[in-house]
Amino acid sequence: MRLLALATLSLSLLAAPLAVAAGDAKHPEHQHWHWDGVFGQFDRGQLQRGFLVYKTVCAACHGMNLLSYRNLGDEGGPEFPEDAVKAIAAGYQVPSLDEDGQPAERPATPADRFKGPHPNEIAARAANNGALPPDLSVIVKARHGGADYIYALLTGYKDAPADMTMGAGMHYNPYFAGGQIAMAAPIASDDLVEYADGTKATKDQMARDVTAFLTWASEPRLEERKKLGVKVMAFTFVFALVLFMAYRRLWRDVPH
Amino acid sequence: MAGDYKYKPTNGFTRWLDSRLPIWRMVDEQVLNFPTPKNLNYWYTFGGILTLMLGVQIITGIVLAMHYTPHEKLAFDSVERIMRDVNYGWMMRYLHSNGASMFFIAVYIHMFRGLYYGSYKAPREVLWILGVIIYLLMMATAFLGYTLPWGQMSFWGATVITNFFSAIPFVGEAITQWLWGSFAVDNSTLQRFFSLHYLLPFVIAGVVILHIWALHVPGNNNPLGIDVRGPQDTVAFHPYYTVKDGFAIAVFLLLFFYFVFFNPNYLGHTDNYIPANPLVTPAHIVPEWYFLPFYAILRSVPDKLMGVILMFGSIFVLFFLPWLDTSRVRSAAFRPIYRQAFWIFVVVCLGLGWVGAQTTDYKIFDLGPKTDVVEQIVEKAKADNVTGQALEAVRTQAEEQNRRAFDATDLGRILTILYFAFFLIAIPLIGVVETPKALPRSISEAVLAHGGSSQPARPQGAHA
């Protein structure tokens, strides 16, 4: 009885966040990800490919204002070489001031934030049929289901069921709450990008790669966190063991 | 109860200090050699765990405050900046956010332990009341802290909770605006919440000192619930309980670190990674898991003011617990009826937590069609000259669309009644009607009766 109650306690503690899943949307299937599990780390090549997909496809509408170009070279991330990071940054023009203090533009440096596609929210909505494309900096942490959800959403576009009335300019996606999403299928055909490493850019491959990239962007310290976590857990476990033996030794002669 | 033990300074310096500031005497008598019942089980280690967690929260919180910006336009990004650019900032932040959850797990176990072993009864009423005050302060602190990242749940949680006060007749609106510092939850609210979030933990630390003081006057309760008779019943706190608590703390830390390093956002809500937007209400506003039972009580009452009163009442009833209990026996180990009521109460609390996480119309059981509504629709169809198969189709559709259900709110109401019934009916009544089992004469006698082996001896039912 007591054990049962205890088990219920621990289960309900763990189940509480799960119980508030988003209403009517289809639940995303679990995918195998390279960073799954205690020892899981990112696949460097996948992050680099994912960045290319973001840059070519997503960045047309979605900003990532918490990231700087330098982050692309950070340890635990895509780890582009320094030259490549500089070259990527230099491909963007950012606002600046000239020698006379007048507004001007200059090529971005690795220290600059990712340049967004729209100057402000009104412009973003105007360009997108009234919808606001969310910033993708923390998108994987901000959606129930995380990476599985992002992948399911990207690959889940279908024709709307016959009995469903779609709003003007809306697209059917069973994984999106309500089923109607303003974003058109972003990865609608193969070969939207050409991968430098020769990987074939199928729709599925691009969706997986960009999901990996977005996961890193949401949790750029994931690798550092897991690596340190393994050490901390191992230490704490041994420490607990030592304390337990000390406890047994100490209490051996005390009737209690 | 501090026993016959008296500290004796051993050298010139300690003798000199002892007559000026007897701080080492206090440490020696109140910590190192404090006589502690020798039969405390692992449920008694949570006080130590809680003290540690308070320390963890204060230290990580001070570091976070060095990098955090309490401003509606900057708070969200500043938290993310901590996670990205501050050295080990991600660790500080995840320790702090998961630390709050672990703090509550520990405090709930600590409180249930007190309920089970009757630790609130004379002469420990003040100890218990101070504990309830700490718990209230913890809830306030956790709520204030949850608003600081200024995500969607921060903002809307703050809106919902502060709106409780608007239920107060006549002055409700004025009080709510005074709390906000504005006419809505906005930047002034965030800044004062940050200020108070930094203040309250030190208030908690102060009350914790009083709590430990109030513990050290009567001494620890124990799983047998009987008084210590003499030195044969106790051991020195150090090293016996420092090591035992230390082991329990290490095991607790394993759970804590699992969340911090491998599943840091599991206990949180994804919507809080969406920056606060006063124009967009989230589909479901849910508090953090540790508030869910109270949220369920609030929502189970149709009237707002009554709901708020009942919700606060569910905590305030704890203040009266020492006088609601009519039994002179402390430990549930010797109280067969109370023991069952206790476990039902645990299940009720867990059930309320589950209800709090559901939408109010979440269907648990289907109870068939609403016959009266269906008949009305059928009658209307008949009046419109619908007959035969078409009429049957109307009936079938009406039955599908109009169903009675036993939903989350219904369950919440039953559990709310049971929650209060436990304190207001079960506890006073059981003490009168129950025949407790015979109590052992002393702790050491009970221990020796169980063979006095190195196996932890516990009376039947005392282990859990």
Side-chain angles (χ1 to χ4, degrees):
Chain A
M1 171 76 178
R2 263 149 283 154
L3 270 179
L4 185 76
L6 198 70
T8 331
L9 171 76
S10 33
L11 274 180
S12 61
L13 287 178
L14 296 178
L18 295 176
V20 287
D24 52 351
K26 191 172 167 189
H27 193 74
E29 296 80 19
H30 181 67
Q31 307 293 323
H32 172 74
W33 299 109
H34 208 268
W35 59 88
D36 280 346
V38 169
F39 299 101
Q41 304 281 294
F42 290 118
D43 174 348
R44 222 59 64 198
Q46 186 174 43
L47 293 186
Q48 296 194 358
R49 293 197 299 274
F51 170 67
L52 186 65
V53 177
Y54 166 72
K55 184 184 165 190
T56 319
V57 183
C58 320
C61 304
H62 294 276
M64 294 186 90
N65 67 14
L66 293 174
L67 273 79
S68 302
Y69 295 109
R70 65 179 163 82
N71 294 134
L72 295 170
D74 282 353
E75 201 181 323
E79 295 187 9
F80 282 106
E82 203 181 329
D83 305 349
V85 173
K86 279 183 181 158
I88 291 167
Y92 295 90
Q93 291 287 316
V94 291
S96 174
L97 295 176
D98 67 12
E99 287 166 10
D100 303 323
Q102 297 306 309
E105 288 204 320
R106 60 166 173 81
T109 67
D112 284 307
R113 296 286 179 107
F114 275 27
K115 193 189 178 190
H118 306 292
N120 54 55
E121 185 182 329
I122 299 170
R125 285 190 188 274
N128 289 285
N129 192 23
L132 178 68
D135 187 272
L136 298 183
S137 308
V138 289
I139 199 75
V140 173
K141 289 195 292 191
R143 292 294 179 276
H144 197 77
D148 293 335
Y149 168 78
I150 301 294
Y151 171 80
L153 188 81
L154 289 174
T155 54
Y157 283 85
K158 280 196 181 99
D159 291 331
D163 59 345
M164 191 162 174
T165 327
M166 299 295 292
M170 300 300 271
H171 308 273
Y172 179 69
N173 193 319
Y175 296 99
F176 192 73
Q180 306 201 33
I181 182 168
M183 174 172 73
I187 303 178
S189 59
D190 292 346
D191 299 317
L192 293 174
V193 296
E194 193 179 326
Y195 285 140
D197 62 1
T199 307
K200 176 136 179 49
T202 61
K203 285 192 281 184
D204 184 77
Q205 185 67 44
M206 287 186 288
R208 280 179 193 281
D209 291 349
V210 79
T211 302
F213 173 74
L214 293 175
T215 304
W216 164 76
S218 289
E219 279 285 296
R221 303 286 168 211
L222 180 143
E223 295 199 355
E224 185 188 355
R225 170 159 63 75
K226 286 189 177 180
K227 279 181 196 161
L228 184 60
V230 170
K231 290 179 201 161
V232 168
M233 293 290 272
F235 174 83
T236 313
F237 182 76
V238 172
F239 189 51
L241 218 60
V242 170
L243 281 168
F244 183 69
M245 292 189 296
Y247 159 67
R248 295 294 293 234
R249 170 77 183 76
L250 185 67
W251 282 77
R252 198 172 55 192
D253 303 322
V254 183
H256 65 283
Chain B
M1 208 249 15
D4 303 329
Y5 177 81
K6 281 279 172 273
Y7 165 71
K8 285 180 200 69
T10 47
N11 61 42
F13 175 71
T14 48
R15 267 192 298 277
W16 179 86
L17 188 66
D18 195 52
S19 58
R20 285 158 180 82
L21 176 72
I23 188 167
W24 190 247
R25 172 182 295 276
M26 191 184 76
V27 171
D28 188 87
E29 289 181 2
Q30 297 297 319
V31 182
L32 301 180
N33 287 300
F34 187 74
T36 312
K38 53 167 75 166
N39 62 335
L40 301 187
N41 57 31
Y42 282 111
W43 299 108
Y44 281 78
T45 59
F46 283 88
I49 288 169
L50 284 161
T51 314
L52 175 88
M53 288 315 297
L54 178 63
V56 168
Q57 291 304 84
I58 288 180
I59 291 167
T60 54
I62 288 172
V63 175
L64 288 170
M66 293 172 186
H67 301 279
Y68 169 76
T69 311
H71 185 279
E72 59 177 348
K73 298 233 177 336
L74 304 171
F76 186 90
D77 285 2
S78 79
V79 171
E80 273 301 317
R81 190 183 158 77
I82 290 170
M83 306 268 284
R84 288 156 193 270
D85 290 340
V86 174
N87 288 334
Y88 293 100
W90 58 268
M91 190 167 81
M92 287 295 153
R93 200 269 170 137
Y94 281 150
L95 280 170
H96 198 72
S97 60
N98 287 288
S101 280
M102 302 311 289
F103 208 154
F104 275 96
I105 291 176
V107 88
Y108 284 133
I109 296 174
H110 191 65
M111 290 165 76
F112 278 122
R113 190 270 289 153
L115 271 181
Y116 188 86
Y117 293 120
S119 304
Y120 51 85
K121 290 188 214 187
R124 296 184 184 81
E125 301 97 320
V126 173
L127 172 62
W128 172 261
I129 288 169
L130 288 167
V132 179
I133 291 171
I134 293 170
Y135 175 55
L136 278 171
L137 287 167
M138 275 176 66
M139 293 176 89
T141 310
F143 158 68
L144 294 169
Y146 193 61
T147 59
L148 301 186
W150 213 238
Q152 273 291 68
M153 279 301 161
S154 297
F155 180 87
W156 290 98
T159 304
V160 169
I161 307 246
T162 48
N163 262 312
F164 291 164
F165 296 93
S166 70
I168 302 170
F170 309 116
V171 291
E173 199 183 342
I175 289 180
T176 314
Q177 287 176 2
W178 176 70
L179 289 172
W180 288 336
S182 179
F183 298 105
V185 174
D186 64 15
N187 191 54
S188 15
T189 322
L190 175 59
Q191 291 186 331
R192 62 188 51 202
F193 278 18
F194 177 57
S195 171
L196 293 173
H197 182 69
Y198 205 117
L199 168 71
L200 287 190
F202 298 98
V203 179
I204 294 178
V207 185
V208 164
I209 290 170
L210 297 182
H211 190 64
I212 295 172
W213 186 4
L215 168 71
H216 280 214
V217 175
N220 290 72
N221 184 29
N222 62 81
L224 295 171
I226 56 176
D227 291 331
V228 166
R229 293 267 182 267
Q232 72 282 3
D233 290 347
T234 64
V235 289
F237 186 78
H238 178 76
Y240 291 96
Y241 282 109
T242 42
V243 172
K244 187 171 182 174
D245 282 2
F247 167 61
I249 284 171
V251 172
F252 189 80
L253 286 179
L254 280 173
L255 179 69
F256 182 23
F257 291 154
Y258 162 75
F259 282 115
V260 169
F261 291 101
F262 301 108
N263 224 342
N265 292 307
Y266 189 79
L267 296 165
H269 196 291
T270 48
D271 277 20
N272 223 27
Y273 280 108
I274 302 172
N277 185 345
L279 301 176
V280 179
T281 318
H284 308 301
I285 302 175
V286 242
E288 290 285 82
W289 69 265
Y290 36 82
F291 292 143
L292 289 174
F294 305 103
Y295 193 50
I297 291 175
L298 172 81
R299 292 195 305 183
S300 68
V301 187
D303 180 70
K304 186 177 171 185
L305 179 61
M306 277 310 292
V308 172
I309 290 174
L310 225 54
M311 186 186 65
F312 283 109
S314 65
I315 299 162
F316 279 96
V317 71
L318 296 172
F319 283 117
F320 303 98
L321 182 59
W323 296 278
L324 287 168
D325 195 335
T326 49
S327 171
R328 271 177 302 168
V329 177
R330 291 195 192 105
S331 174
F334 303 102
R335 304 186 56 194
I337 303 177
Y338 173 73
R339 195 160 76 221
Q340 290 174 33
F342 170 85
W343 286 111
I344 293 170
F345 178 70
V346 172
V347 173
V348 165
C349 291
L350 295 174
L352 280 170
W354 180 83
V355 169
Q358 310 306 316
T359 52
T360 44
D361 57 356
Y362 178 88
K363 273 187 191 179
I364 300 170
F365 303 115
D366 186 87
L367 298 173
K370 294 177 182 165
T371 25
D372 49 336
V373 180
V374 171
E375 284 312 317
Q376 270 180 14
I377 293 170
V378 172
E379 288 305 317
K380 191 165 174 289
K382 273 185 190 164
D384 295 343
N385 294 321
V386 182
T387 49
Q389 276 201 325
L391 188 67
E392 279 313 299
V394 167
R395 177 184 290 277
T396 316
Q397 198 191 6
E399 282 181 354
E400 271 171 22
Q401 286 174 351
N402 298 286
R403 300 195 78 79
R404 283 182 300 135
F406 180 79
D407 59 23
T409 310
D410 296 323
L411 180 63
R413 285 181 184 151
I414 294 173
L415 294 175
T416 301
I417 292 167
L418 289 174
Y419 180 95
F420 284 99
F422 175 73
F423 290 109
L424 301 178
I425 301 172
I427 284 190
L429 206 62
I430 291 171
V432 177
V433 300
E434 181 180 57
T435 315
K437 292 188 208 165
L439 293 173
R441 257 178 306 182
S442 76
I443 293 170
S444 52
E445 187 192 89
V447 165
L448 291 173
H450 281 76
S453 70
S454 63
Q455 289 302 312
R458 302 174 179 113
Q460 193 192 2
H463 62 298

